[in-house]
Amino acid sequence: MGDFNVALVIVAAVVSVLVLLVSVYLLVNYQHPDDANQAYFPKLVVVLGLTVAVLSILMLPADVANRQACRKAVYNGACDLTLPMRTLWLVVYIVDAVLVFLVIPFAMFYYEGDQDKSVGKRLRTALIWVFASAVVCGLVLGILYGLVGKVDFTVRHLSSTVQTFPNSFSGFSSGQPCFSQLPRVCAASTAPANSQTTWTMRATFPEYVVALTTIVGSVLFTIFGGVGIACLPLGLIFSFIRRPKAVITRSQYIKEATELGKKARELKKAAEALHQEERSGNKGRKWRKNVKALEKELLLLEDDMKALEEMYPQGEQAEATWAFTVLGYIGKLIFGVVGLIVSIAWVAHIVIYLLIDPPLSSFLNEVFIKLDGVWGLLGTAAFAFFCFYLLIAVIAGEMMLGLKLVFITIHPMKWGGTLMNSFLFNVGLILLCSISVIQFCATAFAYYAQATAAQEIFGHTLQSLRGIKYLYKYNVFQYGFVALAILTLFYYAIFGWRKRKPTGRFQLSN
C-alpha cells in the first residue's frame, strides 16, 4: 500500500480495538438475563453495529487528522501516503447500509419469530422477509440510480491571454492584482455571468447508496436530533428540579407500594390475556394497540417503582444509598448545565454559519483551529466531542418521542434488562442516524474539515446529486432541526418542571 503515516495508523488501530471492547462491555451489561447464553447471532450483530457506528463518528476527526498528518513530517517520504480515507468512508457506509436494511431486520425477524416453531422455519421466515425487502430496495435503488443518479456541478468557464512572467512582484497589491492593466489580461477574474454552466457526470453507485441512506437518516436525524438537542440537557436539569427532597415515612412507603402492587397485578392479568389472544392467532390491529399500551404502562410502572425506592432506601446501607442518590442528581445538574451550553453553541453555530448567507462568523470552526494551535489534537478532540454529543442527542430525542407518540415502537434500553430486539432496533437507529450526523458535521464544520475525503463526499458530491441537492441548497434539514429545538425548549419551559401525574388503571381496548 505504500508508506503510511505510522503514528496515525497506530492510533486508528488502538482506537478500533477499544471501541470493540466497549461495544462488548455495553452488550454484556445491558442484555436481559433471559438472553444470557443464547441469541448469539443477534449479539454479534449488535457488537458489529455499535462498533461501526462509533467508528463512523470517529472517522471525521480522523479524516481531519489525516489531512494534517504531513504538516510536520520528520523525514522525507513519511507522508507519501496516509490513511485511504475515501475508500474507508465508502466501505464503512456500505457496511452501514447493509446492516441497517438487511442484517438487522433479519436478526429481528429471527429473534421475534414464534418460539414454538423450529429453527429451520424461523430462519426460512426471516429470510423470506429480508429477501423481499432486499428486492424492493434493490429495484428502487437501481431505478433511481439509472434515472437520476447524476451529479450536476456548477462551473464557470474562465480564460485570459498569456503575459510574460514578471521578474519582480513588488508592484502587486489588492488594487493591482494583475500582470498588466491591458484589456483581457485579467479576463479570468472578471468573467461575465453567462460564462457559468453545468457540468454533469454520473455518480458512482456506492456514493449513490450512501446519499439515499443519508436522506433517510437525515429525516430521522432532523426529528430526533432537533428534539434531543434540547431535551437531553433540559431533561437532566428538570430531573434535578423534580428530585425527591427528603426520605418519606414508612407509612407513606407502604401506602404507595400497595398501590403499585395493585397496578402490577392488573398489568399481569392484561399480559396473560394478550398472551392467550396471541396463542389463539388473534393478532389484529386491536391486539397490537393493546401490546403497545401495555409496554408503555410497564415502563411507567418501573419508573414509579424506581422513584419510590429512591424516596425510601432500604437495607443496612440506607443512609449511604440516599447520599449516592443525592450525588447522582447533583451530577445530572452538572452534566445538564454543560450539555445546555453545548446545545446552545450547536444551535447558535447552525444559525450563524449555515442559515445566514453570507455567514456572520465561522464560530466553532475558529474555536477548533485555535485549540489545535494550543495542542495538536485538542481541536480534533473537541470536534469529536461535538459530533458525539449530536449522536447522543439523537438517541435522547428518540427515547422521548417513543414515550409520547403512539406510532413509534417503544424499545427501551435498560441496564441489565434490554432484550435483543430492543438492542437491534436501537443499534439500527444509531447506524442510520450516524451517517446523517457525519454529513451534518461535515457541513457545519466545512471550514475546519476542508480538503478532507468526507468533505469531498458529503460536501460536494452529495449536495450536487440531481433531485437531492435542493434539500441541501435551501437548508431544509437545518431549518427543521432548529425549529424543533425551539419548540422542545418551549415545551420544557411550560411542562418540564411538573411532576408526572398517576396514569390511572390500565384497561384493554374492547
Side-chain angles (χ1 to χ4, degrees):
M1 284 296 291
D3 189 12
F4 287 84
N5 180 274
V6 179
L8 196 57
V9 173
I10 293 175
V11 170
V14 171
V15 170
S16 299
V17 173
L18 290 176
V19 169
L20 179 61
L21 293 176
V22 171
S23 300
V24 174
Y25 174 82
L26 291 175
L27 172 67
V28 171
N29 287 278
Y30 268 93
Q31 69 174 347
H32 196 280
D34 291 345
D35 287 328
N37 301 319
Q38 60 179 349
Y40 292 109
F41 177 70
K43 291 177 181 178
L44 177 63
V45 175
V46 166
V47 172
L48 179 61
L50 287 174
T51 303
V52 172
V54 175
L55 288 180
S56 65
I57 299 296
L58 290 175
M59 277 181 64
L60 187 54
D63 203 350
V64 175
N66 193 61
R67 179 201 63 190
Q68 299 174 347
C70 300
R71 290 187 176 180
K72 298 180 180 179
V74 178
Y75 59 93
N76 291 333
C79 297
D80 289 344
L81 288 174
T82 52
L83 292 174
M85 293 306 302
R86 182 179 177 83
T87 302
L88 289 175
W89 277 119
L90 294 177
V91 168
V92 166
Y93 285 122
I94 292 299
V95 172
D96 193 313
V98 170
L99 285 171
V100 170
F101 296 110
L102 295 178
V103 179
I104 290 179
F106 172 79
M108 291 187 69
F109 286 133
Y110 177 77
Y111 180 83
E112 295 178 347
D114 192 346
Q115 299 295 327
D116 295 333
K117 294 182 179 179
S118 64
V119 175
K121 290 183 178 180
R122 291 168 63 189
L123 283 173
R124 185 165 58 251
T125 302
L127 284 173
I128 291 173
W129 279 104
V130 171
F131 179 75
S133 302
V135 170
V136 173
C137 291
L139 288 174
V140 172
L141 284 173
I143 293 172
L144 289 176
Y145 180 71
L147 295 176
V148 293
K150 297 180 179 179
V151 184
D152 296 322
F153 292 108
T154 301
V155 296
R156 177 167 292 180
H157 179 73
L158 305 176
S159 64
S160 67
T161 58
V162 179
Q163 181 83 0
T164 304
F165 202 76
N167 295 323
S168 174
F169 295 94
S170 60
F172 288 99
S173 65
S174 58
Q176 184 179 343
C178 305
F179 292 155
S180 172
Q181 297 304 311
L182 296 175
R184 290 189 56 78
V185 171
C186 284
S189 62
T190 58
N194 59 10
S195 64
Q196 182 171 304
T197 185
T198 301
W199 178 34
T200 300
M201 62 178 295
R202 182 167 290 278
T204 63
F205 187 72
E207 288 180 342
Y208 196 72
V209 173
V210 171
L212 291 188
T213 307
T214 302
I215 294 299
V216 176
S218 294
V219 175
L220 296 176
F221 165 76
T222 301
I223 298 173
F224 296 143
V227 172
I229 201 75
C231 78
L232 176 60
L234 292 177
L236 293 172
I237 293 174
F238 282 108
S239 177
F240 173 79
I241 296 174
R242 298 191 301 265
R243 73 191 187 282
K245 304 298 190 301
V247 178
I248 61 175
T249 62
R250 181 176 177 80
S251 60
Q252 289 176 313
Y253 172 77
I254 294 175
K255 179 181 177 181
E256 295 292 335
T258 303
E259 292 296 324
L260 291 179
K262 292 180 180 178
K263 188 172 183 179
R265 288 191 292 270
E266 187 176 351
L267 293 178
K268 182 180 179 181
K269 292 181 180 179
E272 292 174 351
L274 290 173
H275 187 62
Q276 290 294 331
E277 289 186 24
E278 182 183 12
R279 286 184 174 273
S280 63
N282 186 16
K283 295 174 62 176
R285 183 177 180 182
K286 183 185 71 174
W287 182 85
R288 290 191 295 270
K289 180 180 178 182
N290 287 328
V291 169
K292 289 185 178 182
L294 179 64
E295 289 176 346
K296 184 174 182 179
E297 289 295 326
L298 286 172
L299 288 174
L300 295 176
L301 178 62
E302 291 179 4
D303 290 341
D304 289 338
M305 293 175 61
K306 182 179 178 181
L308 184 60
E309 292 174 356
E310 287 181 346
M311 291 186 292
Y312 191 78
Q314 303 180 50
E316 298 179 357
Q317 304 294 329
E319 294 184 358
T321 302
W322 174 253
F324 281 115
T325 300
V326 173
L327 291 175
Y329 279 104
I330 294 176
K332 288 184 178 181
L333 177 63
I334 295 173
F335 286 116
V337 172
V338 173
L340 184 60
I341 296 173
V342 176
S343 294
I344 293 174
W346 251 119
V347 175
H349 179 77
I350 293 170
V351 174
I352 292 173
Y353 186 68
L354 295 179
L355 300 185
I356 297 178
D357 189 22
L360 296 179
S361 169
S362 57
F363 193 32
L364 291 177
N365 290 284
E366 290 290 345
V367 173
F368 298 149
I369 292 173
K370 290 182 180 179
L371 289 175
D372 277 335
V374 176
W375 180 57
L377 293 178
L378 188 59
T380 305
F383 177 45
F385 170 76
F386 270 79
C387 294
F388 260 118
Y389 183 84
L390 203 57
L391 184 63
I392 296 173
V394 170
I395 303 303
E398 184 268 336
M399 292 300 179
M400 177 185 177
L401 292 179
L403 293 174
K404 301 296 181 182
L405 303 178
V406 295
F407 59 84
I408 296 180
T409 303
I410 300 173
H411 284 278
M413 294 284 292
K414 290 185 176 296
W415 188 268
T418 305
L419 294 172
M420 281 301 109
N421 58 341
S422 297
F423 237 133
L424 290 167
F425 175 85
N426 285 280
V427 169
L429 178 66
I430 293 172
L431 283 168
L432 194 56
C433 291
S434 64
I435 299 178
S436 301
V437 170
I438 294 301
Q439 190 274 330
F440 195 86
C441 290
T443 303
F445 304 125
Y447 182 56
Y448 181 70
Q450 60 184 331
T452 58
Q455 187 66 265
E456 180 183 351
I457 296 174
F458 297 110
H460 303 299
T461 303
L462 177 61
Q463 297 183 19
S464 300
L465 278 171
R466 188 172 296 178
I468 296 177
K469 61 182 180 181
Y470 299 104
L471 295 173
Y472 298 99
K473 180 179 180 181
Y474 298 108
N475 296 322
V476 173
F477 299 122
Q478 288 86 342
Y479 277 112
F481 184 93
V482 173
L484 286 172
I486 295 174
L487 289 175
T488 306
L489 175 63
F490 283 120
Y491 171 83
Y492 269 92
I494 299 173
F495 304 106
W497 54 274
R498 299 180 182 178
K499 291 187 177 181
R500 182 175 59 82
K501 296 181 180 180
T503 57
R505 294 193 172 186
F506 171 77
Q507 292 182 350
L508 294 173
S509 298
N510 296 322

